Amino acid sequence: MVDQKWYSRTLLTDALRASIRKFDPRLLIANPVMFVVEVGFVYTFILAVSAAISGSGKATFIGQISAILLITVFFATFSEAIAEGRGKAQAESLKKTKKEITARKVVGDEIVEVDGHSLVKGDVVRVTAGDMIPNDGEVIKGRGAVDESAITGESAPVIRESGGDFSSVTGGTTLLSDELTIRITANPGESFLDKMIALVEGASRQKTPNEIALTMVLAGLTWIFLLVIVTLNALASYEGVFVDATTLIALLVCLIPTTIGGLLSAIGIAGMDRVTQFNVIAKSGKAVEASGDINTLILDKTGTITIGNRLAEEFIPFGDKTGADVTKAAFLSSVRDETPEGRSIVRLASKLVPDLAEPEVRDVIDFSADTKMSGVDLADGSEIRKGAFDVMSAYMNYVPKGFKEIVDEISRKGATPLVVSVDREPIGVIHLKDTVKPGMRDRLHELKSMGIKTVMVTGDNRLTAATIATEAGVDDYVPESKPEDKIDIVSREQTDGKLVAMTGDGTNDAPALAQADVGLAMNSGTQAAKEAANMVDLDSDPSKLIPVVSIGKQLLMTRGAITTFSIVNDVAKYFAIIPAVFAVAIPQVNRLNIMALSSPSSAILSAVIFNALIIPALIPLAMRGVKYKPSDASTILLRNIAIYGVGGLIVPFIGIKAIDIIITSLHLV
Amino acid sequence: MVQVDFAGIVQAIIIIVVVLALTRPVGGYVVAVYFKERSRFDTLFGPFERALFRILGVNPTENMSVKRYILNLLLLNGLMAVVVLVILLNQASLPLNPNGAPNMAIDQAFNTATSFITNTNWQSYAGETQLSYLSQMVCITFLMFTSAATGLAAGAAFIRGFASRDKRPGFRQISGMGNFYFDFVRSLTRVLIPLALIVSLILVAQGVPQTLNGPLTYKTAEGASDTLYRGPVASLESIKHLGTNGGGYYAQNSAFPYENPTPVTNVVEIVAMLVLPISLIYAFGVLVGNTREAWVLIGALIVIFVVMLSIGLAAETSNQALSNLAVNQSAGNMQGKEVRFGVSGSMIFTVTTTSTGTGSVNSMLDSYTALGGLVPLSLLMLNSPFAGEGSGLLSILIYVILAVFIAGLMVGRAPQYLGRKIESKEVKLTLLAFLVHPILILGGTAAGVVFAAGAMGNPGFHGFTEMLYAYATAAANNGSAFAGLHADTPFLNYTLGITMLLGRYVTFPLMLLVSNSFMQKKITPYDVGTFRTDKWLFGLILIGVIVILGALTFFPVLVLGPLGEALL
């Protein structure tokens, strides 16, 4: 599911077939502009046939117009089919993972082999290395490496274990090592995979609010031009002018916004698709659209702004203690600590003092939310502990003078201090360093230039938070906050009228994810978080929120640009068709033929051909989206007006003239 | 050959400068009238207004829902229309009919009633002989005030939907559309009557008659006897322009020396037409909390005004057809124009009267060159961009919302205006309001040339233009006449009457609903990613949208009329 070209052979042939089906007027009526073109085609087709039967010389011309109208509709349905086809291709690859699976269900003390699709919510299954996980679930026992490449495309396996935020597993992924006991959390057909397939297939695609409004504008313009056409003959009758039906239909089709009408749904689908290519599944087009509107981004410090795993940087002895003392104490406190922080402490200690011996451990004290410290009790009875300064100062026998200053100094650097003690006596401090992700500063700066405010949320104390905030360049930060606080931050921003986006993975993030206008859940996160969010990042990279915002903006911009282009195109088309329409009856009108088109029929044909060809010419733009460099609104507006507004005014003059030269030299008229 | 018309340029500059200088004080006054808690004029107008509210039995502080506001507006207008209709149909037997005017035919009475109730002032009758004094007073002058007051009320209500929600000292708390009777009565007592008084005095000082004495008979130099018709001309003249009404005291309207005697009165009348529409836009800016929003709109309108004026002046000063004759043409095309105004004084008046909803004339448009006639017609097709008092704001906002929706997407955000998202509901209502105008003009003209072809005074393009102009002026509630059209036929009386009614009473409710819908919306604060409507770039976009949407809609029909004639 990584980057793919917007076209391929099979994609084109499938799209060809699908685009023919879309000619069904019952489907096409959802697109009023194209519906009018189709009606125009049917009408001119009947005229052409009757002209041919009666042997009229006009049959060729009417037939030509009719054919071009048919092609115009085809280009529109084709562009939509191509956009959908890309989604289907991705859905196919997902479906392959839905093969027959035999699951080993735990019933009482026994294990029964059952069909994987018969499992329902609440069933417990056991999965061993090499097995495919039968359905979405939660690990209740064990720890193992899971290959999630079927969903994420990422080949590196991820660790899933019971308890905590890494307990959720997805059906269709494969366990690579160890054994897991999993409680199933989804009924058949309702799994994450099933929902994703439906989404990318476009089966559940609905028009987004902005798309509906824009369709209305296009319908309104269509009504205006219908009115112009319908009244034209009555008006012209006063001067004895009569315009034939084919010319009127040609004029109508040229004037109604066929370009944007033909590409509108393709733009929307392609926008969602671009999000998918970033390995983010948007649950609705509305979510993608909303991300373009975001005013405030709430970002977790850990994992989003900083690398996430804080790594031991140095050990600082205190008082009469030596570096070796603190290194040893730090090592002992972490030998059984499997967190990334703990392992980094062991790694650093082993590097500093190479021959540290594995101690005889009597008891392991895991970190818990209550005690906020961890460590070991050794066989010789000594208690080794490490933890945050405030809990440790209560735990230790005494807090020596000057100790707090060392701790604060580390906090000020944006790092995390961990106090180490042996038998409740302070030994020193472990300096855990938190580093801002490379490139994060630039990305946050980009966001600022787009007018998006960034708020960093962290459980760290104020000093640490302030330092990281300055280093990364976020606008605001909320220190010492718990995941539960996020919903308050979201609500506060929303009361100010802002649209808020955030990321989250834990169950306690779920309410905030649901409250936010754009909630991006990590695939590695809990089921609750994924349910609450309106987007899921398969790579579990929270900084993905930033490109998602860009894609949303690009989607809206593409719509606006092609709409503007489509409308200003009409100026040139008028200069081509109006002289042609009235050329015979009102000869002086030919002075408006500023393009010097060779004949009335060549002028009309050229305009209609240009009108049709511009649709496929812009398909790549609709698929890719307009070029977008993060900047303030005025700069972007000026640029887009210059390209699509002024360009849209000039291009058709050149295009229509060129087509006129070609069809005249080929004697097509 | 185009001659540079210095007199025209100087006059235009003076007018624009005066209007812009008046915008802030008059606009500030308008703000105080409708939106401030108290003003220093309360002691002056308060007692009278309170008495009026007691008689009417309304509570002026009661807030109306948008539906009630619209309903009351329509009811009061409907009631007045019925009264006027009854008077016109029976004026022969009613008092105050010394000139013995006969009862009006029902089609003409319908046309006249709708014309004045809608602030159009299209006249298919000749006032001197066909109206009794009672009809002149109740049906014409009274409605000139009330129709303008209705427009101002609608404008004030419309502004409330977009107003900033910050509590500002001195301002009334806005929690709905307001109260129609409050707005309506205050428009009369505090805006129209006092301003009309001021303008009247200026006009009287310039020699416009203001008397209740009868006509004056005098002996000419040849010894023959002649009659000078006079009367309370200045008082009518002032509200005619301030209220963007346009119906004259004399048949020749503002071309007649007693209505518009000097170049100075010409300028005063032009300024009077522009000052209220522009002040209301300024008031809009004050209420939304950013006057630059208003200045961008005013700036865009002035650009359109100046461009149209330039085209008109160029067309009228360089008449190809006449330049080959052995006649001194240095004054330009003077046919149908008053010598005291010249080409420039006439063209500025014409452009003003058609870019506002006034419709008074000081020269005969039928005698303009084809291109010169195209200018006022185009302005009507753009729905008189400055339009009337309140209605101007409503119609310019149609274009603003469409411009924001289309161009706003290009900054990569869902379109929003003044922090409020434009969604399908607002788009739908705005488009309906937008569609009304071309439907009325194109549909009406098509019906007109098919069913009433005999009414045109000229054949070919020029005759076509006369008919097209009639429906355009009715749809825009402007009322200026191209002349040449024999407008008093049942067909034209009825269809133009319906056109005027729909042009006003469909647009008003739709735009008030739009405003109400914006009132319900969340407001997003501005940041650097916001599409700004208070910058010059938006002014240019707005002009582009106005011109392109207008041109696209009306280009073919213009080819059949003035454009076809100009290309000859």
Side-chain angles (χ1 to χ4, degrees):
Chain A
M1 243 200 286
V2 240
D3 196 35
Q4 45 173 278
K5 272 193 175 154
W6 69 267
Y7 57 88
S8 73
R9 198 192 193 104
T10 48
L11 180 63
L12 291 180
T13 48
D14 286 350
L16 214 59
R17 229 171 292 133
S19 57
I20 305 296
R21 276 197 301 275
K22 287 172 187 288
F23 269 79
D24 184 342
R26 285 167 301 178
L27 300 176
L28 207 59
I29 193 127
N31 183 343
V33 180
M34 279 304 144
F35 183 75
V36 168
V37 181
E38 189 172 48
V39 172
F41 155 69
V42 173
Y43 193 68
T44 47
F45 183 73
I46 295 167
L47 286 180
V49 171
S50 66
I53 291 168
S54 65
S56 153
K58 296 213 86 183
T60 322
F61 175 68
I62 303 173
Q64 282 168 333
I65 296 284
S66 184
I68 297 162
L69 297 194
L70 181 70
I71 292 169
T72 310
V73 180
F74 166 72
F75 284 150
T77 57
F78 183 65
S79 74
E80 189 181 277
I82 275 200
E84 283 174 352
R86 294 210 298 171
K88 286 220 178 71
Q90 290 178 334
E92 282 311 313
S93 76
L94 286 172
K95 271 185 189 160
K96 283 190 195 125
T97 65
K98 273 189 65 113
K99 322 178 249 216
E100 289 305 305
I101 304 171
T102 312
R104 288 183 299 137
K105 186 172 162 186
V106 181
V107 183
D109 292 340
E110 283 175 57
I111 287 181
V112 196
E113 296 222 335
V114 295
D115 177 10
H117 298 302
S118 70
L119 295 168
V120 294
K121 229 184 221 175
D123 285 350
V124 176
V125 293
R126 190 160 296 163
V127 181
T128 47
D131 286 353
M132 188 170 274
I133 295 169
N135 205 341
D136 295 358
E138 199 180 337
V139 180
I140 49 177
K141 206 175 135 208
R143 180 170 190 272
V146 178
D147 171 13
E148 294 193 338
S149 59
I151 293 174
T152 62
E154 187 64 54
S155 53
V158 291
I159 301 296
R160 292 284 176 252
E161 58 191 338
S162 61
D165 285 342
F166 296 96
S167 62
S168 121
V169 287
T170 310
T173 56
T174 311
L175 182 65
L176 294 179
S177 70
D178 306 285
E179 188 179 71
L180 298 178
T181 306
I182 296 166
R183 185 187 295 118
I184 299 299
T185 54
N187 286 324
E190 291 169 10
S191 73
F192 181 65
L193 196 62
D194 291 317
K195 284 184 201 159
M196 264 178 52
I197 291 171
L199 277 168
V200 292
E201 256 186 335
S204 54
R205 196 183 110 80
Q206 285 178 318
K207 278 189 179 174
T208 62
N210 178 261
E211 224 176 321
I212 293 170
L214 186 54
T215 305
M216 230 166 247
V217 171
L218 302 183
L221 290 172
T222 307
W223 277 111
I224 290 180
F225 292 121
L226 262 175
L227 181 74
V228 170
I229 299 308
V230 167
T231 54
L232 193 61
N233 264 333
L235 292 165
S237 67
Y238 181 71
E239 275 139 46
V241 178
F242 177 78
V243 187
D244 62 273
T246 309
T247 307
L248 283 181
I249 290 171
L251 180 58
L252 175 66
V253 170
C254 279
L255 295 181
I256 60 177
T258 46
T259 316
I260 180 66
L263 293 170
L264 183 58
S265 74
I267 294 169
I269 299 167
M272 261 182 97
D273 204 56
R274 278 200 298 280
V275 171
T276 316
Q277 279 175 30
F278 261 90
N279 261 357
V280 173
I281 299 291
K283 292 193 188 164
S284 68
K286 198 176 161 186
V288 179
E289 205 175 273
S291 32
D293 269 348
I294 290 304
N295 305 98
T296 305
L297 272 189
I298 296 175
L299 300 167
D300 278 319
K301 189 201 84 176
T302 312
T304 307
I305 293 173
T306 60
I307 288 175
N309 301 333
R310 290 172 295 189
L311 305 178
E313 174 79 7
E314 66 172 322
F315 305 121
I316 305 158
F318 186 76
D320 54 351
K321 302 291 184 293
T322 63
D325 290 338
V326 67
T327 306
K328 188 172 178 221
F331 172 79
L332 291 175
S333 73
S334 306
V335 278
R336 294 294 170 89
D337 184 348
E338 291 299 320
T339 63
E341 286 89 350
R343 281 198 292 267
S344 82
I345 292 169
V346 172
R347 217 166 29 240
L348 180 68
S350 306
K351 206 171 86 189
L352 292 172
V353 184
D355 48 352
L356 283 169
E358 177 94 357
E360 210 174 305
V361 176
R362 199 182 64 202
D363 208 358
V364 178
I365 285 79
D366 279 328
F367 178 85
S368 84
D370 297 329
T371 59
K372 284 185 177 167
M373 61 173 85
S374 65
V376 290
D377 290 345
L378 296 181
D380 61 9
S382 47
E383 277 182 29
I384 322 285
R385 295 286 186 277
K386 67 173 190 284
F389 175 72
D390 50 345
V391 288
M392 289 300 284
S393 55
Y395 159 83
M396 291 183 302
N397 290 334
Y398 63 99
V399 180
K401 240 177 144 221
F403 200 90
K404 190 170 187 311
E405 282 67 29
I406 298 179
V407 167
D408 282 350
E409 177 58 29
I410 294 172
S411 287
R412 238 190 311 283
K413 286 184 196 150
T416 311
L418 280 184
V419 175
V420 199
S421 77
V422 176
D423 291 333
R424 299 188 183 241
E425 190 192 341
I427 305 294
V429 184
I430 302 168
H431 175 172
L432 286 178
K433 201 176 170 202
D434 206 359
T435 38
V436 173
K437 280 187 181 173
M440 184 51 65
R441 212 187 141 75
D442 293 337
R443 291 178 111 172
L444 291 172
H445 186 75
E446 259 176 31
L447 287 171
K448 193 178 261 178
S449 69
M450 284 148 68
I452 296 171
K453 178 182 161 191
T454 45
V455 180
M456 181 181 87
V457 181
T458 173
D460 290 345
N461 63 47
R462 186 166 290 277
L463 279 175
T464 313
T467 312
I468 294 287
T470 322
E471 199 182 319
V474 292
D475 297 305
D476 196 4
Y477 63 93
V478 184
E480 287 159 13
S481 67
K482 297 184 288 295
E484 294 85 332
D485 298 338
K486 276 189 189 167
I487 189 154
D488 298 327
I489 304 166
V490 172
S491 308
R492 190 189 69 203
E493 293 288 323
Q494 284 177 334
T495 335
D496 291 344
K498 293 180 175 172
L499 272 84
V500 184
M502 64 165 280
T503 61
D505 52 8
T507 301
N508 41 18
D509 286 333
L513 282 170
Q515 172 75 27
D517 300 281
V518 173
L520 177 64
M522 301 297 104
N523 191 39
S524 60
T526 60
Q527 204 62 34
K530 286 195 265 185
E531 292 286 337
N534 44 19
M535 289 190 201
V536 178
D537 178 23
L538 300 175
D539 300 337
S540 304
D541 171 7
S543 58
K544 285 272 193 67
L545 203 46
I546 299 170
V548 167
V549 166
S550 294
I551 291 170
K553 285 196 173 294
Q554 207 185 18
L555 166 72
L556 293 169
M557 244 178 249
T558 309
R559 255 183 222 156
I562 298 184
T563 305
T564 307
F565 186 84
S566 192
I567 293 173
V568 294
N569 265 205
D570 282 5
V571 175
K573 291 179 198 161
Y574 258 137
F575 278 102
I577 294 195
I578 290 292
V581 168
F582 296 116
V584 180
I586 313 172
Q588 73 268 25
V589 173
N590 205 38
R591 281 169 64 184
L592 293 176
N593 181 10
I594 52 174
M595 281 177 272
L597 303 175
S598 52
S599 74
S601 25
S602 83
I604 294 169
L605 262 181
S606 306
V608 182
I609 291 175
F610 176 84
N611 192 54
L613 289 182
I614 199 73
I615 298 176
L618 291 178
I619 289 181
L621 180 71
M623 295 291 150
R624 270 189 285 111
V626 300
K627 231 190 186 157
Y628 164 59
K629 208 171 129 272
S631 180
D632 63 298
S634 306
T635 317
I636 295 175
L637 183 62
L638 208 57
R639 180 178 181 276
N640 284 333
I641 293 263
I643 297 176
Y644 301 99
V646 179
L649 207 58
I650 299 165
V651 167
F653 279 102
I654 301 166
I656 292 172
K657 179 68 188 169
I659 294 169
D660 180 73
I661 292 171
I662 293 167
I663 59 174
T664 314
S665 62
L666 293 176
H667 302 288
L668 288 173
V669 281
Chain B
M1 191 191 79
V2 178
Q3 294 155 351
V4 182
D5 181 10
F6 287 109
I9 293 168
V10 170
Q11 246 190 91
I13 290 172
I14 291 174
I15 287 163
I16 291 171
V17 167
V18 171
V19 168
L20 290 181
L22 284 172
T23 301
R24 277 174 68 112
V26 181
Y29 178 72
V30 168
V31 169
V33 168
Y34 300 102
F35 308 109
K36 288 273 181 76
E37 272 171 349
R38 53 185 65 79
S39 89
R40 55 200 145 129
F41 297 99
D42 283 345
T43 42
L44 185 63
F45 300 113
F48 177 67
E49 286 166 0
R50 277 193 292 278
L52 213 55
F53 287 131
R54 245 194 316 276
I55 296 166
L56 288 168
V58 294
N59 172 11
T61 57
E62 188 203 357
N63 211 352
M64 290 180 174
S65 69
V66 68
K67 285 206 179 101
R68 268 193 67 203
Y69 198 103
I70 293 170
L71 204 66
N72 279 285
L73 184 150
L74 294 179
L75 271 177
L76 187 72
N77 277 251
L79 193 71
M80 291 190 291
V82 169
V83 170
V84 165
L85 198 62
V86 169
I87 293 176
L88 291 173
L89 288 173
N90 303 294
Q91 59 179 2
S93 43
L94 289 170
L96 284 174
N97 189 14
N99 52 344
N103 289 339
M104 218 179 229
I106 180 133
D107 57 300
Q108 197 173 33
F110 169 75
N111 185 278
T112 307
T114 53
S115 169
F116 283 86
I117 198 81
T118 57
N119 197 261
T120 311
N121 296 18
W122 169 264
Q123 291 158 300
S124 75
Y125 60 88
E128 307 90 298
T129 52
Q130 285 179 280
L131 285 187
S132 72
Y133 280 17
L134 182 75
S135 299
Q136 282 280 18
M137 285 191 288
V138 177
C139 308
I140 307 302
T141 318
F142 173 67
L143 285 189
M144 278 191 174
F145 278 95
T146 59
S147 64
T150 303
L152 281 171
F158 184 75
I159 287 176
R160 290 193 183 100
F162 293 87
S164 149
R165 284 169 212 161
D166 304 333
K167 177 68 191 131
R168 286 191 285 172
F171 280 81
R172 281 166 196 277
Q173 183 66 46
I174 290 175
S175 49
M177 284 279 121
N179 184 295
F180 171 66
Y181 297 100
F182 174 87
D183 293 340
F184 182 77
V185 166
R186 282 204 165 191
S187 301
L188 290 171
T189 56
R190 301 203 181 195
V191 183
L192 294 169
I193 294 173
L195 287 182
L197 191 69
I198 297 169
V199 175
S200 299
L201 290 177
I202 300 172
L203 294 178
V204 168
Q206 282 291 316
V208 177
Q210 177 72 15
T211 173
L212 292 174
N213 292 334
L216 200 67
T217 311
Y218 68 101
K219 284 231 164 5
T220 61
E222 292 86 32
S225 175
D226 206 348
T227 310
L228 276 181
Y229 290 96
R230 46 184 189 175
V233 182
S235 57
L236 180 123
E237 199 63 20
S238 55
I239 186 63
K240 167 179 133 186
H241 289 117
L242 274 172
T244 61
N245 285 293
Y249 192 92
Y250 300 96
Q252 297 91 331
N253 210 310
S254 290
F256 195 74
Y258 281 4
E259 284 205 20
N260 189 6
T262 67
V264 175
T265 55
N266 200 43
V267 169
V268 169
E269 289 177 10
I270 290 171
V271 170
M273 289 190 246
L274 287 168
V275 72
L276 274 178
I278 290 189
S279 296
L280 213 74
I281 298 177
Y282 178 80
F284 174 76
V286 172
L287 263 288
V288 304
N290 181 2
T291 44
R292 270 188 315 200
E293 296 281 355
W295 286 119
V296 167
L297 300 185
I298 294 171
L301 291 178
I302 287 180
V303 169
I304 293 176
F305 181 90
V306 169
V307 169
M308 284 305 204
L309 181 61
S310 311
I311 297 172
L313 286 175
E316 291 301 294
T317 46
S318 56
N319 192 340
Q320 286 289 317
L322 290 175
S323 57
N324 301 329
L325 301 176
V327 181
N328 180 6
Q329 287 298 321
S330 59
N333 172 27
M334 281 302 293
Q335 192 194 337
K337 296 189 181 70
E338 295 292 304
V339 179
R340 65 186 185 285
F341 305 134
V343 166
S344 46
S346 305
M347 202 52 176
I348 297 171
F349 196 95
T350 300
V351 168
T352 310
T353 200
T354 47
S355 41
T356 63
T358 315
S360 57
V361 286
N362 75 349
S363 49
M364 295 303 123
L365 306 189
D366 207 17
S367 306
Y368 277 27
T369 61
L371 210 53
L374 176 70
V375 167
L377 181 58
S378 315
L379 285 165
L380 296 179
M381 287 171 166
L382 300 179
N383 207 355
S384 296
F386 282 107
E389 347 62 34
S391 59
L393 193 56
L394 270 58
S395 59
I396 185 80
L397 258 289
I398 295 178
Y399 289 113
V400 168
I401 290 168
L402 292 179
V404 170
F405 188 86
I406 294 166
L409 276 173
M410 281 195 285
V411 305
R413 287 234 175 123
Q416 57 182 52
Y417 182 52
L418 301 171
R420 293 134 167 112
K421 264 217 179 95
I422 305 177
E423 287 164 303
S424 45
K425 186 180 175 194
E426 298 77 50
V427 165
K428 189 161 63 186
L429 292 168
T430 308
L431 274 169
L432 281 175
F434 177 72
L435 277 170
V436 169
H437 196 59
I439 288 176
L440 292 177
I441 296 180
L442 294 178
T445 311
V449 296
V450 171
F451 298 113
M456 276 95 109
N458 286 286
F461 298 116
H462 205 74
F464 183 85
T465 306
E466 290 167 4
M467 186 63 83
L468 179 61
Y469 197 96
Y471 285 94
T473 195
N477 291 137
N478 181 276
S480 64
F482 199 68
L485 186 74
H486 308 298
D488 185 20
T489 71
F491 180 85
L492 288 178
N493 275 333
Y494 281 125
T495 55
L496 289 172
I498 292 166
T499 304
M500 293 185 270
L501 284 180
L502 296 178
R504 188 159 172 103
Y505 297 116
V506 174
T507 316
F508 271 23
L510 284 173
M511 290 314 283
L512 285 178
L513 288 172
V514 168
S515 164
N516 184 61
S517 177
F518 274 106
M519 186 181 269
Q520 319 297 327
K521 288 196 183 261
K522 252 186 10 184
I523 299 182
T524 311
Y526 278 23
D527 56 44
V528 296
T530 308
F531 178 77
R532 298 299 287 261
T533 47
D534 58 350
K535 297 261 173 80
W536 62 269
L537 184 58
F538 179 69
L540 289 184
I541 293 170
L542 181 62
I543 294 171
V545 167
I546 293 176
V547 170
I548 286 187
L549 285 185
L552 292 180
T553 315
F554 294 111
F555 193 59
V557 79
L558 287 175
V559 168
L560 293 169
L563 215 52
E565 191 183 352
L567 291 170
L568 271 175

